[in-house]
Amino acid sequence: MRALAGMKRLGTSLTILGLELSSASLLHAQVPGLAALHVATAQGQIQGVATETGAAYLGVPYAAPPVGELRWRSPAPPRAWAGVKQADHYGPPCAQAPLRGQTAVSSISSEDCLTLNIWVPRASAEPKLPVMVWVHGGGFQNGMGSSPTYDGVALSRHGVIVVTLNYRLGAFGFFAHPQLTAESLHKSSGNFGLEDQIAALRWVAANIAQFGGDPANVTLFGQSAGGASVLDLVTSDVTDGLFARAIIQSGAARSSIAPLNMADAEREGESFANGLPLSALRGLDTAAVIEMAQAAGQSGARFSPVQDGYIITRAATDAISDQRRKPIPLLIGSNAREGLAVLPPDKLDAAMASAFGANAAAARAAYGLSAEMPPAPDRLMGTVAEQFSTDSSFRCGAVQIAAASARAGGPVWHYQFEQFVPGREARGAAHSFEVPYVFGNLLTTGFSAADYKAADRRLSDLMVEYWTNFAKTGNPNGAKLPVWPAYQKDRRAYARFSSDHPGAVELGTDLRGEICRLFP
């Protein structure tokens, strides 16, 4: 996050939660070749700031503040303003509890948070630029579109417009309740955070041409809960025409961030409400709602997307496989060792039996557990417990979505990120480690900080090229890049990204197919 409300003096910085908050990169001097910093949106005029590669417009409202009577309602249109709004600082993160006890981000979070940020490259010969809209991760409980790792300058250098956004989190974004369902025009509840993302996409569709963008050439991309959000919106019946292609990074999880069924979500919502009517719940202050949500979480409540019959109507694999739907180009993958809950050895057998059902014995053999001596840890994939954790969540989830999309005739590119990050080699290619490489932001501060080397920067450059090529044309390949074959039902190709491979990428086929096909 490089600029916050009240941090207008250039060079000011603050480090909180390991995140560097700085406005130093936003240079107010005019940049040669840059279009006017003054842009007229549907709600009013905004004044952006120049960056080293173009312009940035920060903290732009895309919906009305979801506070008071608008709490737990579908996002309302943003309010118009008179005069020129200074879009030179980020809006606050959406209201959230402290992450792992660290309060810095939660202390500046707010329910008045539905803003987005736009990075535009210097004026080019292209009449309309492709647009990449990023949805941040954080388990649907934490995160913000203004993390420095998500700064769009490096990506925009490659001729794309980058948009990041905030959306309601936790109980504010994913509270389902029978009374909320009854009062809804769509007779649904629990997906307010996803509705926010849709509202942001609609704002982009209505306004991005004013920034030089092409509303018909939007790529939606995200990671972890953001990737799960992308999958939810790709398979939704209410997002048609809002984006042309999608990138899902570690978001096709089989369990941890997959949608809840409506009945369970409403039961959890009633437990959270603890008998209070909606009027009383809407009258609570932000801190009280967060405290109630934390208590509900300790009892097993999970505030995350819901199969509500409106935005999400069926399982993702069923929707992707439906050949009546028009398939969109998809780039999807996971990291080599990113399971979020690694089981102790004495719990592994029971977990495998539950996950694989009748195929449990075959799965044990595939993992090498049928031998007298357990197999040694794999350098790339880790221990058997780590392998199972990744396979049963992100890896085989991505494989199954890639396969379903390919069967339905959609163009698909599949990858596995395998880079060992300097200083964190013992963790392997863990969850979220690919994000700074994708954004071209290999930083020395913040949650993704590391002592990155020249090899890391070459890998990042390669991935940025693939990702932005995909955003431009629906195909990641381009001149001077190693050819990345599409994933097809009869040739399950995937790209392996690591500095260990010549040219930082190596091709593989049928990623963990022996294991992934054993899941029911």
Side-chain angles (χ1 to χ4, degrees), residues 368-409:
L369 292 175
S370 56
E372 288 188 13
M373 293 293 294
D378 182 84
R379 176 182 177 272
L380 181 63
M381 305 288 195
T383 66
V384 168
E386 289 173 319
Q387 294 174 46
F388 171 71
S389 181
T390 301
D391 288 336
S392 60
S393 56
F394 301 108
R395 183 156 45 226
C396 289
V399 167
Q400 290 171 341
I401 293 297
S405 186
R407 287 195 300 270

Side-chain angles (χ1 to χ4, degrees), residues 238-257:
V238 300
T239 59
D240 188 47
L242 292 179
F243 51 91
R245 53 192 65 96
I247 300 173
I248 300 172
Q249 299 171 210
S250 304
R254 291 176 45 84
S255 54
S256 58
I257 49 178

Side-chain angles (χ1 to χ4, degrees), residues 3-4 48 96 158 187 196 225 237 252 255 267 269 282 290 322 327 330 345 407 412 423 445 507 511:
L4 285 170
Q96 56 194 275
H158 291 260
K187 300 307 174 189
D196 293 342
D237 295 328
S255 54
R267 278 195 295 270
R282 287 187 170 122
I290 290 175
D322 188 345
L330 180 66
R407 287 195 300 270
V412 182
T445 60
L507 299 180
L511 176 61

Side-chain angles (χ1 to χ4, degrees), residues 2-3 27 97 121 131 202-204 314 345 439 443-444:
R2 294 194 176 180
L27 310 176
V131 183
R202 287 175 176 154
W203 190 96
V204 167
R314 51 184 167 166
F439 273 85
L443 307 176
T444 57

